[in-house]
Amino acid sequence: MPRHGPGSATWLVRPLILLAVLLLLPSLSACGDDERPGPPPQELPGIWVATESEFVSRSPPARTVEIVSLGGSVLLFLRPDGTFALDLTAPGAPAPWRREGIWIDDWDVLRLEYTVGGGGVNEFDMRYRDNVLSLRGADSFYDFGTGGEDARWNLLMVKQPSQ
């Protein structure tokens, strides 16, 4: 009959294994948490140009409009002082629609709070890879030809080189 009391090796080994597992769990669960999904904060300020600007309707029937491929444009000027300007030119429009405000970098979220040109907020899930800034899922509004409706706004942006 095996012994499992204070005189056996099992009695000592099991608590040591349990202790090792408990000590390792926090470091194992933190794997990957240190990788910032957005660009380093010091790299966010600058001029960002959309290579894609997609509006997706939130109600059926599902509709998607990608304005850059249709001749529109989006420029986002993130200033180091935390303010921004956003110029959105719809396809065929003679001039951009400009809004300004403050931007907030919250690790994996970019928040644009509008103070000039209309109120409101766009809050994007932010990812950065291979010098492309992906901003996805902001609540927005877009006229899909039915008078306008709620939409999700997704952007892919590249930073203009500093002059």
Side-chain angles (χ1 to χ4, degrees):
M1 187 181 273
R3 285 185 49 194
H4 295 293
S8 73
T10 306
W11 179 81
L12 182 60
V13 172
R14 283 187 182 160
L16 289 175
I17 291 172
L18 180 62
L19 179 62
V21 168
L22 290 174
L23 290 174
L24 286 174
L25 276 178
S27 62
L28 290 175
S29 66
C31 287
D33 287 348
D34 293 340
E35 291 186 28
R36 181 181 168 83
Q42 68 275 14
E43 289 185 29
L44 267 170
I47 301 170
W48 293 88
V49 179
T51 58
E52 290 181 22
S53 177
E54 173 187 70
F55 291 92
V56 180
S57 66
R58 294 187 70 191
S59 59
R63 288 168 288 199
T64 301
V65 173
E66 199 288 294
I67 68 169
V68 173
S69 66
L70 297 173
S73 66
V74 178
L75 297 174
L76 179 59
F77 306 88
L78 296 177
R79 299 181 191 109
D81 67 357
T83 63
F84 76 90
L86 175 73
D87 287 343
L88 187 148
T89 306
W97 166 77
R98 174 167 273 217
R99 294 186 70 188
E100 297 183 43
I102 61 169
W103 63 274
I104 300 165
D105 166 24
D106 189 14
W107 189 256
D108 63 347
V109 172
L110 180 65
R111 182 177 173 92
L112 304 178
E113 297 180 359
Y114 300 102
T115 58
V116 176
V121 171
N122 284 128
E123 196 169 271
F124 295 93
D125 291 332
M126 178 171 54
R127 300 287 178 268
Y128 186 67
R129 185 173 182 181
D130 299 327
N131 296 317
V132 174
L133 182 62
S134 173
L135 302 173
R136 303 198 51 83
D139 289 330
S140 192
F141 194 74
Y142 189 80
D143 185 351
F144 291 94
T146 59
E149 62 189 74
D150 289 334
R152 292 279 185 201
W153 190 14
N154 303 314
L155 293 158
L156 288 180
M157 307 194 90
V158 294
K159 191 174 182 183
Q160 291 293 103
S162 299
Q163 305 283 340

